[in-house]
Amino acid sequence: MPFGLGVWEVVILLAVVALLFGAKGVPDVARRLGVGVREVRDAVADVDPRRMLDAPSTTQSPTTRGGHEQPPDDDQRQP
């Protein structure tokens, strides 16, 4: 069985889902779950690993973090 679940665990899980969502709600929940899995699968398929390697580096300089300049150290302050 998937995820290391036994037959009885799957039966109990389906019974709990049926109690929570009702007999008419179970197909709707399964459909929504299938659409979500399909969207994730399509998004992962669209990612080109070669393009990820060619992306420019987004490292930040030591003087800025998050777009804000850091205050100077004590020895760099002007009197």
Side-chain angles (χ1 to χ4, degrees):
M1 294 304 293
F3 305 111
L5 295 175
V7 175
W8 286 110
E9 287 90 355
V10 173
V11 169
I12 292 171
L13 183 63
L14 291 175
V16 169
V17 169
L19 287 174
L20 288 175
F21 296 105
K24 293 181 181 180
V26 172
D28 189 41
V29 170
R31 188 177 307 112
R32 288 180 186 178
L33 183 63
V35 168
V37 169
R38 189 176 315 120
E39 286 180 5
V40 169
R41 194 177 300 155
D42 291 344
V44 169
D46 289 342
V47 173
D48 185 10
R50 291 173 291 177
R51 194 176 73 189
M52 297 289 288
L53 294 175
D54 295 338
S57 177
T58 58
T59 58
Q60 297 175 352
S61 67
T63 58
T64 61
R65 279 194 196 142
H68 303 290
E69 290 189 26
Q70 293 180 344
D73 294 334
D74 289 337
D75 58 339
Q76 294 178 353
R77 288 188 183 171
Q78 301 276 334

